[in-house]
Amino acid sequence: EPTKSAVVPDLNIAWSNKCVVRVNKMVLERKKGARFPMPDTLDKHWAGVKWDVVVGQPLYIAQATNGIAASKNEMVRVKYVDNDTIYLEDGIGKVARSDFWKVLRPAYCTTTHKAQGDTFAVDFGIWEWDRMDEELRYTAITRAKSLGQIKFH
């Protein structure tokens, strides 16, 4: 059984969407940066969550749309924010603040399924290890370049 870590890293993988939201909330609460309050959402998982988008924040594409050069479930980062718009790094595009929940989701934590194909060069956490089957465990741990990067929660 893996050793548990008390520190929550900025990048995490979890088995369930419920845990993904919980971990994202924990990381979002400690982040400081450009204060850019997000609009309310009708998404049941995120309803009532108050947080700010910060430069460098990881997001994933929840819905592919015109003007965004990225696919659904692809991870992107925030380059710049202003009162009306979130600009994404690497020329991927921009999203109107009012359209945030239609297009993007916080990605400090994602499901194992969404992390498939990614390789992480930084420390990251794995949550709900005991709920993952052998295949999902393999997927989670092989996101790392080095086993020392992995922190279990």
Side-chain angles (χ1 to χ4, degrees):
E1 190 66 25
T3 306
K4 301 279 184 173
S5 174
V7 177
V8 179
D10 285 353
L11 189 56
N12 298 274
I13 296 173
W15 179 80
S16 69
N17 282 318
K18 186 175 182 177
C19 185
V20 164
V21 172
R22 182 171 50 90
V23 174
N24 269 298
K25 287 178 187 178
M26 285 191 291
V27 177
L28 287 165
E29 286 173 2
R30 74 166 195 253
K31 287 293 178 183
K32 304 275 189 260
R35 304 325 287 175
F36 187 68
M38 293 311 306
D40 287 333
T41 177
L42 298 177
D43 184 310
K44 67 181 179 179
H45 297 294
W46 294 97
V49 175
K50 301 295 182 195
W51 59 283
D52 300 320
V53 171
V54 298
V55 172
Q57 177 178 354
L59 302 168
Y60 72 86
I61 306 297
Q63 179 66 47
T65 184
N66 290 337
I68 300 292
S71 303
K72 185 175 180 177
N73 294 330
E74 188 172 336
M75 191 178 293
V76 297
R77 290 199 178 265
V78 175
K79 179 179 182 178
Y80 174 77
V81 292
D82 64 26
N83 288 334
D84 300 314
T85 309
I86 300 167
Y87 299 86
L88 304 173
E89 289 183 341
D90 301 326
I92 290 171
K94 61 186 181 179
V95 176
R97 179 179 179 268
S98 59
D99 290 338
F100 179 89
W101 290 108
K102 294 176 193 169
V103 180
L104 302 167
R105 294 291 185 277
Y108 288 117
C109 186
T110 63
T111 63
T112 309
H113 291 93
K114 284 189 178 81
Q116 285 181 345
D118 291 340
T119 301
F120 303 147
V122 299
D123 289 356
F124 66 97
I126 297 178
W127 298 75
E128 302 178 300
W129 179 259
D130 56 328
R131 296 183 76 181
M132 293 180 189
D133 63 22
E134 186 175 325
E135 184 177 321
L136 288 177
R137 286 179 176 188
Y138 175 82
T139 299
I141 63 171
T142 57
R143 302 309 91 209
K145 288 187 172 186
S146 159
L147 290 179
Q149 294 172 248
I150 302 170
K151 311 300 177 205
F152 291 92
H153 296 273

